[in-house]
Structures are given as structure tokens and as C-alpha cells.
Amino acid sequence: MNDLIQRALDAAERAGAAYADIRIVEREAESLTVKNGALEAANSDHSEGFGVRVLVDGAWGFSASALLEPEEIERVTRQAAAVARASGLAGGDPVVLDETPPQVGRYVTPHQEDPFSVSLDEKLRLLFEADAAMARVDGINVRQSSIECGRERKTFASTQGARVEQEIVEAGAGIDATAVNASESQSRSYPNSSGGQVVTGGFEAVRAMDLAGHAEQIAEEAVALLDAPQCPSGRMTLIIDASQVGLQIHESCGHPIELDRVLGYEASFAGTSFLTLDKLGALQYGSELVNIDADATAPGGLGTFGYDDEGVPAQNVPIVSAGRFVGYLTSRETAPVIGRSSMGSSRAWSWDRIPLIRMTNINLRPGDAGSLEDLVADTRDGLLISTNKSWSIDDRRLNFQFGTQIGWLIRNGKRTQMVRNPTYTGITPQFWGSCDAICGPDEYVIWGVPNCGKGEPIQTGHVGHGAAPARFRDVQVGVGRW
Ligand SMILES: [Zn+2]
């Protein structure tokens, strides 16, 4: 492999590149789904190849191939240089990279049990066990359980002398129960909706979820929701569970802090951002309790790694500090625009895609409000909601509406009536400004988002959001249209 890498870097320099890097990537993924007592899907993917990125006359060129052979590596590198020359003809400001020193190192996701060495029988046993537990509840029409495993081995090298090797290991699982009557359907999920919870780590994370142990409860809640009253409308105190706080961070903080969007390089999928450069260090993004970090070093986070795909080491940087907006997600190309070095958030979905700025783990630091039950007890009247069901947010990431699977009214510090179809709306800085309590470290979980879309052609991002349940005052709550 050393020889192949050197050929690419040499060919890039011969083609006039001021800078070049190569990524050789092998990705494996496996997913299993059990539905209504039967194996619904068993998928296994394997992909291997390399991508070469070159900078010629201040413009990028990229090319990739699945054929890892010396002549092909040289051909692809020459092609990348030709693309860069052609891109340069379009004009525009020349790309200038930051001063990140070239890194040499190796990173492997800490894990105990290799997810790919766990037998199919054992994985199916866990899924059928959860399925059977949901089936014991009368009134469930659709039961679904799934497990996902992933592994990525990649080598990065650059003409500046960087050389890093990584092995990222991922594991995840989730269950959903759906009950249907003549007028609507209601679902409950554990540990989260949209495929459950996914982490970097070994299969021990899936075992720790205890899917079967939570199956009956979510099934009972799905059935009960059909007869629960609609969530009331009005302005009220809202307690949001940790997983929905995670998605709230994703949409209203994670995306608008992507500096390529801010600079107008990247505008697909509700791109652009209200966090324009003049807001950095100036905007009060939230209340003084709100501290948000971009932490690619957090153990278990789905956005945790050793180095990004530009060879920049994983870092933990403040984004919102005591409510003040202080940082962006950056790359080696964009960071100099704000006078900084890259904080290491440039990642590509696969060997045949260029790296884009992607979230790492965008985490809301826990507060001092104790457990969720403590927070409910501290709330006179309000609404507690859990588990995302729908989301909508405008291009600039300012006006949003979220729906969750379930809610409970809070009366005199007690969780009372279950309500169905809760939604809430807000405007990002006002909403975070109304945050007056965040639960403590015991309630803090880093939620994985395995399906963040960005770019054309689209790239899937694996990112995370650390969050604990939090309370927001005077929030517009209403009946959803979803
Ligand atoms: Zn996203």
C-alpha cells in the first residue's frame, strides 16, 4: 500500500499539484431487520477504493476508482489534476489551506466485542426476543426490530507528509411498535426513532440497550396513544427528552455552524445559515445555561474519530459558550477565512466522494437540574415530550417545527395525562434563549444520527449529539399536521 500511496503523491507533483492527498477506504456494513415475527431484511455491503484530491493553480480536482492498482492510481491522479485545471478556468478565489502540521498516527475505535464476529444467530436471537415481547401486548399492528454494524478502515496520506490510519467501528439497534385504528396510527420507538441508537463502539453497546427489556413498555404506550387526547395548543413550559434535544441541536445548531454553508459553498438540503460571519463572538445564541461543543473525541459518539479526512486530529472546540456563539465547524480550506486553523470536521462518506464539512458530535453540556424526574418535580405546569416523529426547518435554520411520538402533561410537578401528536415551534435564538434548566450528567447520552444528508451527489453523514433532557419556557406548542 505504501508504494501505491507514493505513486499517487508523486504523480500529483509531476502534474503540477501544489498539494495532493489520497484516501484508501474499505467500508463494511451489515443490517438485520425483523418485522412481525419474521426476518424482513438481511443486508451486507462491502466497498473498497481510493480517492485522490489535488490542488492545482488554487483549484481543487478530485477523482476516484475502485481498482487499487499502480497504473490506475497514476491515471486517476492525472485525471484529478486535469479536473483541477478545468475548475481553475472558472475563476474565483484560489484555495488556501491552513497551517495544520502534517500528522502521523493510528486510531482504532475503542471496543470490546467486534460486531462482525457476533454470530448471525445471536443477533437474530436478540431481535426475535424483542419482537416477541412487543407481540405480548394486544393491539400492536406492526413490530420492527433492527441491528446495524459498520466498520471503516482507511488510510490518508498527503504531499505535506501526513500519514494516518484509522479503523472506525460502529454498532446500533432499535425497536418500533405501531398501533393502528380507523383514524390514525401511533408509533413508539426505543431507544430512539429512525433506526434506534447508533454509536462508535462494539456490540456491547447493542447488548446494553436491552431491547427486549423495553419492548413491552413502548408497545403499551403505542396502544395507549390511540386513545390519548390530542396535545393542547398554546404557549407553555416544555420539557424535551434527551433524544429530541439531540435532534433539536442537529437541525438548529449543527447545520447552521457548517462554515461551508455560511460561506455559500454548499447550499443543498436546506443549506445556508443564519449564523453569518458577523454573528461570531457577537450573537447571544441561547441562555447562559447553553454550552455547546463540537467534540470529535467524545467516547462512543457516532461523530467520534481520530482524524478527519484531511488528516486533522479530532478536537473538542466550543461552539456556544454561556449562550454566546463562538465557533464554527471548519475545514483546512474554510478555517483561514475566520483566522483559525481547521478544527477537524471535514469528512467524506466514502472513497468516491470529496470531504465536506460535517458535524462531529455537537453536544449540549449537561446542567445541574438532576434527573428527568427531578426536573418534572420542579415544573409546576407544562408538557414533557419524547422521541422525534417529524421535523421541518427553513433554509437558514431559524424557524422550526418538531413533532414527537408522545407527550405527558405536567401538573403541580407530576407527570399526568398522556397526550398524542405533540408538536412545538420556535425561532432558534429565542428558543435556546428560553432554556432555563438542563438535567445532569446521569441523564446525558450521545445520540447517533446515522442519516444526515449533505452535498450533491449526496453524502450520508454519521454524527452525534450529546444531550440531557432540558426545559424551555413559553414555547408555542400545538397539534401537529403530521
Ligand atoms: Zn442533518
Side-chain angles (χ1 to χ4, degrees), residues 457-476:
I458 190 168
Q459 299 194 32
T460 303
H462 279 191
V463 309
H465 302 291
R471 185 173 64 194
F472 301 82
R473 297 291 190 182
D474 195 30
V475 178
Q476 181 62 46

Side-chain angles (χ1 to χ4, degrees), residues 41-363:
N43 294 317
S44 179
D45 290 321
H46 181 264
S47 163
E48 188 172 9
F50 69 94
V52 178
R53 195 175 65 146
V54 304
L55 200 52
V56 180
D57 299 336
W60 285 121
F62 177 78
S63 190
S65 169
L67 204 60
L68 270 160
E69 289 176 1
E71 293 73 32
E72 178 71 350
I73 281 202
E74 291 191 7
R75 185 192 69 78
V76 164
T77 304
R78 285 194 301 272
Q79 190 169 56
V83 170
R85 284 218 167 73
S87 302
L89 297 176
D93 293 335
V95 171
V96 178
L97 297 181
D98 74 354
E99 301 285 330
T100 297
Q103 306 291 311
V104 176
R106 179 170 161 75
Y107 173 86
V108 179
T109 301
H111 63 283
Q112 292 158 26
E113 196 176 6
D114 177 355
F116 290 89
S117 70
V118 176
S119 71
L120 187 62
D121 282 356
E122 170 64 357
K123 288 169 180 161
L124 290 175
R125 184 187 68 77
L126 293 172
L127 294 178
F128 280 112
E129 205 175 88
D131 184 85
M134 288 188 277
R136 284 197 284 274
V137 176
D138 283 342
I140 291 297
N141 301 75
V142 183
R143 316 182 301 272
Q144 191 158 305
S145 316
S146 61
I147 287 178
E148 311 226 359
C149 307
R151 175 161 51 213
E152 192 174 60
R153 293 191 173 102
K154 52 188 178 181
T155 301
F156 171 92
S158 78
T159 50
Q160 293 181 329
R163 176 67 184 263
V164 298
E165 289 177 21
Q166 299 193 81
E167 181 177 335
I168 309 291
V169 181
E170 299 175 345
I175 55 174
D176 305 276
T178 300
V180 182
N181 66 11
S183 56
E184 63 183 295
S185 92
Q186 291 288 342
S187 293
R188 286 289 289 135
S189 307
Y190 170 85
N192 200 359
S193 49
S194 298
Q197 163 70 323
V198 191
V199 302
T200 56
F203 200 74
E204 65 275 9
V206 172
R207 295 189 193 281
M209 288 177 200
D210 184 16
L211 298 178
H214 294 81
E216 218 165 301
Q217 185 189 341
I218 63 153
E220 281 167 0
E221 286 174 353
V223 173
L225 275 169
L226 288 176
D227 295 323
Q230 287 278 4
C231 180
S233 300
R235 300 196 74 88
M236 60 185 80
T237 296
L238 185 64
I239 297 178
I240 303 179
D241 82 320
S243 67
Q244 174 60 27
V245 170
L247 195 69
Q248 177 77 46
I249 296 167
H250 182 90
E251 302 294 353
S252 69
C253 182
H255 278 303
I257 61 170
E258 295 166 347
L259 190 53
D260 52 354
R261 283 173 197 264
V262 175
L263 298 175
Y265 299 171
E266 179 60 48
S268 49
F269 294 101
T272 77
S273 173
F274 78 100
L275 291 173
T276 46
L277 296 180
D278 55 305
K279 307 284 197 310
L280 185 65
L283 177 79
Q284 192 67 26
Y285 176 91
S287 73
E288 291 200 343
L289 295 182
V290 177
N291 291 286
I292 299 176
D293 305 303
D295 186 2
T297 71
L302 193 57
T304 298
F305 47 80
Y307 305 86
D308 78 354
D309 288 332
E310 295 188 308
V312 177
Q315 292 163 48
N316 181 11
V317 300
I319 299 296
V320 174
S321 186
R324 185 67 55 99
F325 168 55
V326 295
Y328 286 109
L329 294 164
T330 62
S331 59
R332 293 195 65 193
E333 174 183 356
T334 55
V337 175
I338 55 166
R340 297 183 186 179
S341 288
S342 174
M343 45 67 73
S345 64
S346 193
R347 287 192 292 158
W349 171 237
S350 68
W351 51 267
D352 60 350
R353 295 285 187 272
I354 54 165
L356 301 174
I357 293 179
R358 305 307 304 245
M359 292 171 224
T360 54
N361 302 293
I362 312 303
N363 302 336

